[in-house]
């Protein structure tokens, strides 16, 4: 009746109002309350002889589902589950089924140069959690794992100490391929063991012929748009690996020590404006500062800032005249340990037209030139400019047509052009020494100091790099930057804070050097004219090469004669001369270009765009960016709709993992255990739980503490699952489930909570927030299930007759809860979830959880008035329990007095009769007997505990509000304890309570 009335109020919105002045939270009151009466009655230590008599009539939980698995048993079980539940076929199964929507997560290819590490685990499991979730909720998941297979690090490892000596490019390539294949096989086996689903027989590899062909097509598109060009300019060069490097391949060492020097360049021709303003400036020298003395021989100019002030100063100790920036004079004086007396001050623009004598090259003069990159933050405000060895220097050279002649060879040694004194000296070591001593000899060295600063190193060899000019192929990223930024605006970035790093990295990179002087990679499809050196590259040549690569793989670049690579028809279309005029290029493409083109090679037509890319934050300047640039260049849009950027795995103490620190956590040891007994076998699900539980957007710590905690959390979860399974033994939901409308209100209420739980869990998974899923799960289990619901229903489950409506109602709810909880955690713990599913009722044998969908939720669970009834009763219960602190509620009779109104009607729906020991209200209160009345009786016994409270019923967002008062009277019950159910509901000590009498007599 009540529900009819309330349901008339459509769109009911319930809010918690003021509750009993003594009550705690809704469910908190139950925590301290022990209620395992019937449970206790079955414990073997129980001495009650009568209890033993009825033991067999009590329905205790029974299941073979093991509480805990450890050691080899755990490992065997996980592998059995993978096999029995078809982990290997799952991906193909879901690709073949019909689905309305696709979810495409494009896998960033790990590098194929070593074993799987914990960083891979973090990344791959994070992706798998999302993929499994999407699959469960009916999406068709597109996820093709890949590997980045080319590049110098693999080449170096494959060749070992032998180096390239005497090996042809094809021999090097063969060794590198074998090495990469080995690493891929080991990594793949690890990913499968972690439970990552994919079609592992059809992954992508950047050394696949089809991949290489697709990559060349991207190259061709970009070249035809004029975005790829050849140029001679300074690039980062690694002498230790003899190749050019891109910005993304550098690591900055903040502790690098350089020999910084102050040196003089005597002014041979005074700037005319200076000379006209001040007489007696003969013998002035320009003072410069550099941290790279080896670049002095390559000096072509000294730059000044036109808008700054400069002074000619006289050294107090030796009367030398120096030209320095006025702002720098004081700190230079301190450095030199002498006073500097100002002789004259000029603005930078007055320095125009000056010429200096080069300190180490006889008869060479270099000009004073204006430049905007001159800084006043350090040095002298006058910048030594060596166009071959600095990016800013190079732009000055382009503007003023200075020479960019290179005096350093590929090994980082001075070449012949540097002169006989320097030739063949390594620039970073003895070459620097020699230049400094030459400066000293000619009197140009003013001061030398050690300078600790951040300096670029080769990310693989860990050796310092130099800047030197060479002829390389470049992508004009400056011209792509604006489009790339615009495309990024449409991309969702998680966390949003990563967006600014991505933009900053785009700004920083004005060009991208894509040629590498190695063999293990995709060749740049270019031919050079034998005589002129002119490059031959166009859509006809590149398309032909792409076709050949598709058919034969790119080894054919080295295998085939040039005539096959450049057939007559291609030469004709290219308006080129005879094939004998041409030789093939020897450079390969940067591996960031390989992987950056993966969207074109891997994602399906017609719109190769992924829903999401998920990688570590190191990819902000790497794959995220190279993919964006190539995609924007070819089709003016990003290859991803969203980006998820996660942190790195670090040691338990927050340190970076490294072999030298001995703090590397090996995922294989985590799963299978180590030799040391302190490293038990945790299995794959613990590793997955660790990933899920972590805040992956920051640094993620891993070690025994995190792993043990993950294992314990899973144990607690298993405990709950075991309780659910145990009480569902023999229950067939398809035949025995109770219609929701006929279920007990508390059971319906649990379905309502389950629905809210599943909505929250679904939201959290959609946000890549598995740690929130775990928090929601743990709160649901500990607060709503263990402390509240499970404590209330044990009597009904164990002591009511097996097929009673009340018990079946409860089992109906438990079955839904088991199903919901198992599915909610399945993306994180696929092994545990499938194991539970093997024991769970309600489905055919052989059916697996992952093929049976996401959490079911029925609208019937949202019954208006239901929440108010149960939550009102819970508020009253809180008051009741807090009036008898520490006592057993079952030993009391409770009288609830409520004035006629909405709250009374709500309570009446839980207990129709004025007094009851078996109503839903009595069950919720856990009291011996509950009397429901509109007024407290006048003749209460003297030991009655009285209390009062109010409950605010708030319907329709406040349109209907009713603040209802209630009074409680609590007295010790006069009933005796029933020997079967141990509730205080029996007439006398040796007599069963009426409910138990009925149950036992029917048995
Ligand atoms: Zn009983």
């Amino acid at each position: 009746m009540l529900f009819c009335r309330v349901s008339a109020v459509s769109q009911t919105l319930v809010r918690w109002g003021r509750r009993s002045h003594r009550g705690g939270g809704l469910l908190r009151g139950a925590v301290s309350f022990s209620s395992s009466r019937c449970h206790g009655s079955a414990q073997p230590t129980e001495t009650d002889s009568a209890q033993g008599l009825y033991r067999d009539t009590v329905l205790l939980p029974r299941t073979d589902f093991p509480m805990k698995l450890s050691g080899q048993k755990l490992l065997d079980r996980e592998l059995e589950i993978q096999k029995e539940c078809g982990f290997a076929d799952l991906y193909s199964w879901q690709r073949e089924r019909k689905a309305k929507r696709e979810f495409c997560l494009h896998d960033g290819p790990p590098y194929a140069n070593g074993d799987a590490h914990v960083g891979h685990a973090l990344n791959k499991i994070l992706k798998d959690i999302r993929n499994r979730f999407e699959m469960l909720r009916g999406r068709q998941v597109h996820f093709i794992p890949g590997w980045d297979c080319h590049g110098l690090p693999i080449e170096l490892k494959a060749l070992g100490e032998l180096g390239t000596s005497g090996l042809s490019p094809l021999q090097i390539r063969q060794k590198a391929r074998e090495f990469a294949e080995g690493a891929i096989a080991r990594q793949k086996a690890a990913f499968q063991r972690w439970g990552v689903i994919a079609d592992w027989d059809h992954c992508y590899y950047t050394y696949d012929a089809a991949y290489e062909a697709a990559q060349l097509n991207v190259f061709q598109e970009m070249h035809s748009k004029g975005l790829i060009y050849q140029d001679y300019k300074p690039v980062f060069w690694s002498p230790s690996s003899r190749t050019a490097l891109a910005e993304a391949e550098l690591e900055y060492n903040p502790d690098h020590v350089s020999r910084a020097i102050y040196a003089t360049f005597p002014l041979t021709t005074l700037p005319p404006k200076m000379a006209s303003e001040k007489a007696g400036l003969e013998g002035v020298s320009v003072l410069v500062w550099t941290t790279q003395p080896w670049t002095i021989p390559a000096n072509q100019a000294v730059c000044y800032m036109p808008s700054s002030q400069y002074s000619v100063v006289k050294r107090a100790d030796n009367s030398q005249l120096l030209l320095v920036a006025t702002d720098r004079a004081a700190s230079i004086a301190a450095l030199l340990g002498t006073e500097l007396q100002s002789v004259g001050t000029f603005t930078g623009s007055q320095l125009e037209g000056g010429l200096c004598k080069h300190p180490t090259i006889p008869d060479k003069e270099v000009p004073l030139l204006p430049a905007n990159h001159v800084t006043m933050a350090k040095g002298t405000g006058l910048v030594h400019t060596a166009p071959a060895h600095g990016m800013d220097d190079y732009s000055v050279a382009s503007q003023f047509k200075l020479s960019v002649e290179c005096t350093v060879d590929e090994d980082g040694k001075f070449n012949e052009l540097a002169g006989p004194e320097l030739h063949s000296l390594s620039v970073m070591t003895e070459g620097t020494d020699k230049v400094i001593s030459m400066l000293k000899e000619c009197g140009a060295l003013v001061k030398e100091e050690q300078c600790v600063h951040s300096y670029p190193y080769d990310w693989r060899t860990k050796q310092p790099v130099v800047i030197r000019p060479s002829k390389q192929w470049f992508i004009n990223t400056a011209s792509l930057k604006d489009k790339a930024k615009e495309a990024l605006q449409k991309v969702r970035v998680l966390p949003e804070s990563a967006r600014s790093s991505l933009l900053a990295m785009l700004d920083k990179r004005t060009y991208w050097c894509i040629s590498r002087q190695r063999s293990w990679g995709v060749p740049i499809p270019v031919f050079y004219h034998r005589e002129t050196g002119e490059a031959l590259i166009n859509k006809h040549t590149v398309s032909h090469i792409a076709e050949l690569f598709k058919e034969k793989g790119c080894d054919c670049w080295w295998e085939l004669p040039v005539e096959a690579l450049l057939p007559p028809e291609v030469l004709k279309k290219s308006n080129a001369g005879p094939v004998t005029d041409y030789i093939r290029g020897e450079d390969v493409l940067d591996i960031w270009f390989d992987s950056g083109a993966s969207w074109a090679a891997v994602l399906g037509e017609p719109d190769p765009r992924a829903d999401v890319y998920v990688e570590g934050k190191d990819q902000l300047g790497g794959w995220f960016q190279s993919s964006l640039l190539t995609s924007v260049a070819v089709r003016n849009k990003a290859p991803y709709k969203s980006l998820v950027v996660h942190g790195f795995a670090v040691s338990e103490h927050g340190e970076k993992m490294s072999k030298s620190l001995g703090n590397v956590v090996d995922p294989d040891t985590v799963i299978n255990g180590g030799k040391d007994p302190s490293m038990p076998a945790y299995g794959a699900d613990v590793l997955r739980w660790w990933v899920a539980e972590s805040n992956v957007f920051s640094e993620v710590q891993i070690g025994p503490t995190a792993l043990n905690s993950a294992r314990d959390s899973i144990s607690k979860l298993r405990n709950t699952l075991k309780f659910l399974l145990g009480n569902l033994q023999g229950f067939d939901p398809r035949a025995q489930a109770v219609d929701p409308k006929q279920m007990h209100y508390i059971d319906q209420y649990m379905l309502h909570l389950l629905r809210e739980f599943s909505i929250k869990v679904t939201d959290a998974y959609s946000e890549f927030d598995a740690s929130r899923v775990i928090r929601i799960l743990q709160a649901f289990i500990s607060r709503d299930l263990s402390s509240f619901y499970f404590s209330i229903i044990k009597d009904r489950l164990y002591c009511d007759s097996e097929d009673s409506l009340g018990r079946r109602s409860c089992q109906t709810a438990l079955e839904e809860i088991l199903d919901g909880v198992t599915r909610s955690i399945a993306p994180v713990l696929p092994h545990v979830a499938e194991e539970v599913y093997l024991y769970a009722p309600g489905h055919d044998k052989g059916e697996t959880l992952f093929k049976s969908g996401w959490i079911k939720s029925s609208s019937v669970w949202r019954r208006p008035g239901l929440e108010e009834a149960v939550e009102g009763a819970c508020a009253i219960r809180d008051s009741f329990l807090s009036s008898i602190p520490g006592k057993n509620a079952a030993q009391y009779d409770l009288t609830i007095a409520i004035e006629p109104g909405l709250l009374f009607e709500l309570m009446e729906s839980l207990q129709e009769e004025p007094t009851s020991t078996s109503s839903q209200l009595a069950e919720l209160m856990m009291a011996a007997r509950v009397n429901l009345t509109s007024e407290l009786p006048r003749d209460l016994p003297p030991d009655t505990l009285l209390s009062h409270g109010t409950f605010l019923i708030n319907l329709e967002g406040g349109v209907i509000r009713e603040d209802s008062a209630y009074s409680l009277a609590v007295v010790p019950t006069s009933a005796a304890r029933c020997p079967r159910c141990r509730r205080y509901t029996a007439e006398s000590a040796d007599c069963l309570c009426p409910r138990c009498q009925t149950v036992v007599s029917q048995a």
Side-chain angles (χ1 to χ4, degrees):
M1 289 165 306
L2 167 80
F3 287 151
C4 299
R5 173 180 157 180
V6 178
S7 58
V9 182
S10 62
Q11 302 291 320
T12 313
L13 182 68
V14 179
R15 290 219 180 115
W16 275 102
R18 207 151 37 85
R19 294 205 301 275
S20 154
H21 64 289
R22 280 194 281 177
L26 164 62
L27 307 172
R28 221 170 297 142
V31 179
S32 59
F33 179 66
S34 161
S35 69
S36 51
R37 297 173 300 267
C38 290
H39 193 213
S41 72
Q43 282 168 7
T45 52
E46 181 62 61
T47 52
D48 192 330
S49 60
Q51 172 268 329
L53 205 61
Y54 299 110
R55 182 186 289 167
D56 294 343
T57 71
V58 173
L59 300 161
L60 292 175
R62 274 185 299 126
T63 174
D64 297 329
F65 179 76
M67 180 95 98
K68 203 171 181 177
L69 286 172
S70 60
Q72 196 54 44
K73 256 189 180 166
L74 166 71
L75 300 180
D76 291 346
R77 190 66 181 133
E78 282 194 344
L79 293 172
E80 269 168 37
I81 297 273
Q82 292 198 350
K83 212 168 161 194
E84 268 179 49
C85 303
F87 279 30
D89 308 325
L90 195 55
Y91 183 82
S92 313
W93 169 82
Q94 63 91 34
R95 285 305 295 171
E96 281 156 23
R97 72 176 168 172
K98 279 192 181 139
K100 278 185 189 154
R101 284 184 63 185
E102 187 175 76
F103 173 77
C104 176
L105 195 166
H106 182 35
D107 189 37
Y111 200 54
N113 73 332
D115 291 337
H117 53 69
V118 77
H120 292 136
L122 180 63
N123 178 263
K124 287 288 189 280
I125 291 172
L126 194 60
K127 290 171 179 170
D128 191 57
I129 289 173
R130 181 59 183 259
N131 283 340
R132 283 182 177 269
F133 162 69
E134 295 292 349
M135 187 184 298
L136 277 168
R137 69 161 165 172
R139 304 271 159 89
Q140 194 167 54
V141 172
H142 181 288
F143 175 73
I144 301 174
W147 274 271
D148 199 356
C149 315
H150 288 131
L152 179 69
I154 290 173
E155 192 176 318
L156 290 179
K157 276 200 181 176
L159 296 174
E161 287 167 4
L162 292 169
T164 53
S165 56
L167 294 180
S168 71
L170 283 169
Q171 287 170 318
I172 294 171
R173 289 173 60 82
Q174 185 54 34
K175 280 182 177 295
R177 175 182 287 272
E178 283 164 13
F179 180 88
E181 281 168 348
I184 289 167
R186 294 194 304 279
Q187 290 185 14
K188 193 187 279 187
F191 300 165
Q192 285 174 280
R193 179 62 188 88
W194 302 340
V196 177
I197 49 158
D199 180 354
W200 293 104
D201 295 329
H202 296 95
C203 301
Y204 76 91
Y205 309 93
T206 59
Y207 60 30
D208 271 352
Y211 189 102
E212 291 166 343
Q215 182 183 338
L216 278 204
N217 288 332
V218 170
F219 179 91
Q220 150 58 23
E221 287 271 342
M222 292 177 69
H223 182 264
S224 68
K225 291 181 178 177
L227 292 164
I228 292 179
Y229 61 97
Q230 194 186 23
D231 201 0
Y232 176 81
K233 63 176 164 189
V235 292
F236 291 106
W237 184 273
S238 171
S240 51
S241 50
R242 286 177 61 101
T243 184
L245 295 179
E247 183 73 34
E249 293 167 308
L250 302 176
E251 260 178 18
Y252 283 82
N253 173 6
D255 303 319
H256 181 83
V257 181
S258 290
R259 294 178 69 180
I261 54 153
Y262 288 83
T264 50
F265 281 58
L267 270 173
T268 48
T269 302
L270 271 179
K273 285 180 186 160
M274 253 175 96
S276 65
E277 189 148 313
K278 179 94 188 162
L281 290 181
E282 292 75 27
V284 175
S285 287
V286 173
L287 188 66
V288 302
W289 175 76
T290 177
T291 60
Q292 306 301 316
W294 61 269
T295 61
I296 292 280
N299 178 285
Q300 302 291 349
V302 174
C303 289
Y304 57 84
M305 175 67 91
S307 56
S308 293
Q309 290 292 307
Y310 288 85
S311 296
V312 172
V313 293
K314 188 180 197 175
R315 284 183 70 150
D317 53 353
N318 64 9
S319 304
Q320 190 181 17
L321 290 176
L322 298 171
L323 178 65
V324 297
T326 311
D327 283 351
R328 301 298 304 158
S331 51
I332 293 168
L335 182 91
L336 300 179
T338 182
E339 281 179 28
L340 295 177
Q341 186 194 352
S342 178
V343 175
T345 300
F346 309 89
T347 56
S349 54
Q350 288 177 293
L351 303 184
E352 193 185 336
L355 288 175
C356 308
K357 182 185 172 313
H358 191 291
T360 61
I361 304 173
D363 306 324
K364 184 175 170 83
E365 285 190 325
V366 297
L368 290 180
L369 294 174
N372 289 323
H373 71 273
V374 175
T375 166
M376 295 296 151
K378 54 191 174 188
T380 65
L382 287 153
V383 175
H384 149 60
T385 300
H389 304 297
M391 311 305 180
D392 291 327
D393 312 46
Y394 176 76
S395 13
V396 174
S398 311
Q399 196 184 341
F400 294 98
K401 308 273 179 276
L402 304 177
S403 162
V404 192
E405 196 172 73
C406 183
T407 54
V408 179
D409 70 11
E410 295 176 348
D411 291 315
K413 293 175 175 169
F414 281 118
N415 61 21
E416 288 168 345
L417 296 172
E421 277 184 287
L422 294 169
H423 184 205
S424 81
L425 298 180
S426 176
V427 299
M428 295 294 279
T429 52
E430 69 258 31
T432 295
D433 300 344
K434 184 67 191 169
V435 171
I436 292 175
S437 70
M438 285 163 77
L439 290 168
K440 216 179 263 172
E441 275 165 35
C442 68
L445 186 72
V446 174
K447 176 87 185 168
E448 186 195 330
E449 61 181 3
Q450 289 220 324
C451 175
V452 179
H453 62 138
S454 180
Y455 190 86
Y457 276 52
D458 183 328
W459 69 325
R460 292 295 174 177
T461 63
K462 312 291 178 196
Q463 295 294 315
V465 304
V466 296
I467 292 173
R468 70 182 278 275
S470 63
K471 210 163 192 187
Q472 301 288 348
W473 287 88
F474 296 90
I475 290 176
N476 183 353
T477 44
S479 72
L480 286 170
K481 194 171 67 183
D482 290 343
K483 278 185 190 169
K485 283 184 171 175
E486 205 182 307
L488 264 189
Q489 280 179 354
K490 294 181 195 134
V491 173
R492 186 162 179 248
V493 183
L494 201 72
E496 179 59 35
S497 57
R499 188 188 298 276
S500 57
S501 316
L502 209 56
L503 292 171
M505 302 250 190
L506 274 176
D507 270 330
K508 212 164 105 183
R509 178 187 258 185
T510 52
Y511 56 85
W512 171 9
C513 175
I514 53 167
S515 43
R516 296 292 181 274
Q517 290 64 55
R518 305 296 304 193
S519 304
W520 182 226
V522 177
I524 295 186
V526 61
F527 302 88
Y528 298 102
H529 195 275
R530 280 180 193 279
E531 308 280 304
T532 63
E534 196 186 334
L536 172 62
I537 179 168
N538 57 49
K539 66 176 181 206
H540 310 295
T541 62
V542 180
S543 308
H544 177 68
I545 303 295
E547 280 303 311
L548 286 176
F549 284 10
K550 197 171 185 176
E551 196 186 319
K552 303 168 192 290
C554 71
D555 275 351
C556 73
W557 182 256
W558 290 270
E559 284 166 345
L560 294 175
V562 181
E563 290 77 10
L565 301 172
L566 262 184
E569 65 273 18
V570 172
L571 284 165
K572 194 177 168 196
K573 282 183 203 159
S574 312
N575 295 321
V579 70
T580 46
D581 283 356
Y582 292 96
I583 51 171
R584 74 196 95 195
E586 291 180 349
D587 294 346
V588 297
L589 282 161
D590 176 15
I591 51 168
W592 291 106
F593 190 84
D594 286 15
S595 58
S598 64
W599 57 268
V602 181
L603 303 180
E605 295 291 340
D607 177 23
R609 203 149 63 110
D611 286 294
V612 64
Y613 280 30
V614 182
E615 302 300 327
K617 62 184 181 185
D618 52 334
Q619 299 307 327
L620 288 169
W623 189 58
F624 287 151
Q625 199 181 121
S626 58
S627 300
L628 177 68
L629 289 169
T630 53
S631 177
V632 164
V634 171
R635 56 196 186 143
N636 209 10
K637 64 180 168 192
Y640 34 70
K641 293 176 194 159
S642 58
L643 285 181
V644 174
V645 189
H646 62 77
F648 296 140
V650 294
S651 80
E652 195 153 65
H653 307 292
E655 296 149 338
K656 195 176 168 184
M657 286 185 206
S658 77
K659 275 186 187 147
S660 58
L661 286 173
N663 61 359
V664 176
V665 176
D666 176 3
D668 183 56
T669 310
V670 170
I671 291 181
N672 296 310
K675 288 182 191 119
D676 186 334
S678 71
M679 293 187 284
Y682 289 103
D685 274 358
V686 166
L687 188 66
R688 296 178 67 101
W689 181 280
W690 162 73
V691 171
E693 195 180 23
S694 303
N695 174 10
V696 295
F697 301 120
S698 65
E699 306 297 76
V700 185
Q701 295 176 351
I702 185 166
T705 313
L707 293 167
N708 287 337
S709 148
R711 185 186 54 191
D712 295 347
S713 299
I714 295 175
S715 281
K716 280 182 197 155
L717 174 66
R718 287 188 77 98
N719 209 352
T720 302
L721 294 165
K722 190 176 165 73
F723 176 85
L724 288 163
L725 287 169
N727 283 296
L728 290 167
Q729 180 84 10
F731 176 68
D732 179 4
R734 286 178 289 198
Q736 294 165 324
V738 175
D739 184 288
K741 285 175 204 142
Q742 286 164 356
M743 286 168 74
H744 278 211
Y745 297 131
I746 179 70
D747 301 335
Q748 291 185 38
Y749 178 72
M750 289 315 292
L751 295 188
H752 160 75
L753 291 185
L754 179 67
R755 185 172 185 277
E756 288 193 336
F757 164 77
S758 77
I759 290 169
K760 285 187 209 159
V761 164
T762 305
D763 285 350
Y765 274 125
S766 308
E767 297 285 311
F768 268 95
D769 199 348
S771 68
R772 200 164 90 224
V773 171
I774 288 189
R775 289 196 300 277
I776 294 165
L777 175 82
Q778 289 179 326
F780 183 62
I781 286 181
S782 70
R783 193 187 59 197
D784 298 339
L785 297 182
S786 298
S787 302
F788 176 63
Y789 187 56
F790 290 173
S791 66
I792 289 169
I793 55 172
K794 280 175 184 163
D795 176 69
R796 186 155 38 118
L797 277 174
Y798 301 169
C799 302
D800 274 11
S801 68
E802 184 168 9
D803 204 29
S804 66
L805 178 70
R807 190 162 178 280
R808 291 301 187 211
S809 163
C810 186
Q811 285 183 311
T812 304
L814 291 181
E815 196 273 329
E816 299 275 15
I817 290 167
L818 173 70
D819 196 70
V821 166
T822 310
R823 285 179 204 282
S824 76
I825 205 60
V828 175
L829 304 178
H831 303 88
V832 170
E834 289 289 15
E835 187 188 357
V836 172
Y837 204 66
L838 292 173
Y839 292 88
H843 58 84
D844 298 328
K845 212 170 183 305
E847 196 184 75
T848 61
L849 181 138
F850 277 95
K851 290 187 182 174
S852 56
W854 188 229
I855 308 170
K856 298 182 285 286
S857 68
S858 147
S859 58
V860 183
W861 297 354
R862 297 190 70 187
R863 296 196 68 186
L866 178 67
E867 284 165 85
E868 293 86 335
V870 176
E871 290 171 4
C874 285
I876 293 169
R877 191 175 101 122
D878 285 348
S879 299
F880 165 48
L881 295 178
S882 52
S883 71
I884 47 161
K887 305 264 175 53
N888 183 357
Q891 295 180 10
Y892 292 90
D893 287 345
L894 169 65
T895 301
I896 304 170
I898 307 170
E899 280 183 17
L902 199 49
L903 184 62
F904 187 88
E905 285 179 46
L906 286 166
M907 293 309 110
E908 226 180 5
S909 67
L910 296 168
Q911 177 170 314
E912 284 175 24
E913 50 285 67
T915 178
S916 174
T917 60
S918 58
S919 70
Q920 297 182 37
L921 192 60
E923 181 188 47
L924 252 167
M925 296 301 150
M926 302 167 99
R929 168 179 301 275
V930 171
N931 306 310
L932 183 60
T933 163
S934 57
E935 206 177 346
L936 283 182
R938 294 180 188 280
D939 54 342
L940 287 163
D943 56 348
T944 304
L945 298 164
L946 282 174
S947 58
H948 308 276
T950 55
F951 180 72
L952 180 69
I953 299 167
N954 197 345
L955 296 173
E956 264 206 358
V959 174
I960 299 174
R961 285 161 69 93
E962 202 170 299
D963 204 0
S964 312
Y966 56 84
S967 299
L968 305 181
V970 179
V971 291
T973 185
S974 57
R977 194 172 74 163
C978 166
R980 178 169 177 268
C981 69
R982 301 187 74 211
R983 288 190 62 206
Y984 287 79
T985 44
E987 272 179 37
S988 64
D990 21 339
C991 159
L992 288 176
C993 73
R995 183 264 314 262
C996 289
Q997 278 177 32
T998 314
V999 173
V1000 170
S1001 69
Q1002 284 170 352

